[in-house]
Amino acid sequence: FYAKDVAEYGIFSLSLPEPENLKDITFANTNLYSLLDKSGLSRLSTVYTITPQINGMVYTSAHWGKSGGIFHQPDQVADVGVRLDFNF
């Protein structure tokens, strides 16, 4: 049994499709945590369904925990992005 390169991660995710009266919108929160180096990443995504084949997404993520870990590099605090998905 070879376990030198094994890493242990914790993952927690929560999805809220069409909350309240927000038709075609889904909120998703994803959290990743490295048990080995005690660093984490949290991401909040807002997905808008334009058509059944096209989705638009806006997301923001925050890095936390021990600096220098796999999810928290030095001088890295947050990311923001936009994505457009096409399904064929």
Side-chain angles (χ1 to χ4, degrees):
F1 180 72
Y2 179 73
K4 181 180 179 186
D5 295 329
V6 173
E8 296 183 20
Y9 301 101
I11 300 171
F12 175 76
S13 184
L14 177 66
S15 178
L16 298 171
E18 298 184 359
E20 298 293 327
N21 293 326
L22 298 175
K23 187 174 170 60
D24 299 326
I25 292 183
T26 299
F27 295 107
N29 177 266
T30 306
N31 299 283
L32 304 172
Y33 183 71
S34 172
L35 300 170
L36 297 176
D37 63 25
K38 296 179 178 43
S39 65
L41 172 72
S42 295
R43 177 173 167 166
L44 177 62
S45 303
T46 304
V47 181
Y48 178 70
T49 303
I50 300 166
T51 70
Q53 292 80 25
I54 302 173
N55 292 323
M57 177 189 296
V58 176
Y59 65 88
T60 183
S61 62
H63 307 271
W64 49 273
K66 184 179 175 186
S67 183
I70 192 164
F71 295 119
H72 190 193
Q73 300 299 316
D75 300 326
Q76 186 178 29
V77 177
D79 300 308
V80 177
V82 177
R83 193 170 102 184
L84 188 62
D85 295 333
F86 297 95
N87 300 316
F88 296 99

